[in-house]
Amino acid sequence: MPPKQRQVKIEQRGSLEAIQALEQRSDEELESETKYKAAALAILGARASERFDADAARGYFQRAIAAARPQERMQLRRMADASLALAERRAGDLKQAVERLGQEAPTGRQMFALRAMGLLLPPSSAGILARLRGIALIILLVFVLLAVGAGLVELIALPFGGIGLAPAVLLGLFVVIAVIAIAAAIGRRRRDRARAPSG
């Protein structure tokens, strides 16, 4: 009995190490992987969820669970739950699923961003009302951002004699684009720094 338990532990550790080793491979290489097929499919499922492609993520994880050993399936199901919650923008479910995996829960800022994305860009499984609401919110957000940008430009131009409405709106658009680009660059840099291996 003890040797069999030891063998199961070695196999489970091997699968976890396989996921870490395979993460650097391309999607095509993962699709053709045969030795650690379940691990390769799980990585493809996680990548699909990061692209918010819930259907593809679900398909990859179903294939991964089918190809996995019985003792690996519970962990793969937990990974699938977390990945699908991300792909479908379900912030509350994502937090619970990540905690069940034994990982650190998303920060409050990440949860807020995911909830906002769920409102603005609901998943394909959402109803027509949710999609229409998302379109309306995007239009409203664009108007608000343009108004804020134009107001900021007019405030800056006030000591110099002011500026017309049309130029203020145009310059406000450039200000909003610049702010979004800077925020995106900072976010990307932080993400890359967090993903970079320590040491």
Side-chain angles (χ1 to χ4, degrees), residues 121-190:
L121 300 168
S124 56
S125 59
I128 186 68
L129 288 177
R131 294 183 195 178
L132 290 174
R133 180 189 62 194
I135 293 170
L137 287 173
I138 289 172
I139 294 171
L140 179 63
L141 181 62
V142 168
F143 275 116
V144 169
L145 289 175
L146 281 176
V148 169
L152 186 61
V153 168
E154 287 189 347
L155 188 64
I156 293 171
L158 200 58
F160 306 99
I163 191 173
L165 180 60
V169 171
L170 184 60
L171 289 174
L173 175 63
F174 291 139
V175 169
V176 169
I177 291 172
V179 169
I180 291 173
I182 292 169
I186 292 172
R188 194 178 299 115
R189 191 174 301 169
R190 286 180 178 175

Side-chain angles (χ1 to χ4, degrees), residues 5 22 36 45 47 52 64 67 81 85-86 104 132 142 161 193 197:
Q5 288 179 340
L22 293 171
Y36 298 108
R47 288 180 184 177
F52 300 103
D81 288 343
L86 172 63
E104 186 178 351
L132 290 174
V142 168
R193 198 183 308 135

Side-chain angles (χ1 to χ4, degrees), residues 11-29:
E11 287 176 350
Q12 287 179 320
R13 187 170 66 246
S15 297
L16 294 175
E17 290 171 355
I19 288 180
Q20 295 173 354
L22 293 171
E23 279 178 345
Q24 305 304 319
R25 296 193 183 180
S26 67
D27 289 0
E28 292 77 14
E29 290 173 328

Side-chain angles (χ1 to χ4, degrees), residues 58-165:
R58 186 175 290 105
Y60 281 126
F61 275 108
Q62 285 173 348
R63 290 167 58 193
I65 291 169
R69 300 184 182 94
Q71 64 269 20
E72 299 168 346
R73 287 176 184 162
M74 178 60 71
Q75 189 71 0
L76 282 175
R77 286 192 183 97
R78 289 175 177 170
M79 288 177 62
D81 288 343
S83 294
L84 289 173
L86 172 63
E88 294 174 347
R89 294 91 153 171
R90 292 183 279 112
D93 293 341
L94 175 63
K95 182 179 180 182
Q96 293 176 4
V98 169
E99 288 172 347
R100 279 199 299 270
L101 272 171
Q103 298 179 4
E104 186 178 351
T107 63
R109 187 179 302 172
Q110 291 170 329
M111 297 287 285
F112 174 78
L114 190 61
R115 287 191 183 98
M117 188 176 295
L119 286 173
L120 297 173
L121 300 168
S124 56
S125 59
I128 186 68
L129 288 177
R131 294 183 195 178
L132 290 174
R133 180 189 62 194
I135 293 170
L137 287 173
I138 289 172
I139 294 171
L140 179 63
L141 181 62
V142 168
F143 275 116
V144 169
L145 289 175
L146 281 176
V148 169
L152 186 61
V153 168
E154 287 189 347
L155 188 64
I156 293 171
L158 200 58
F160 306 99
I163 191 173
L165 180 60

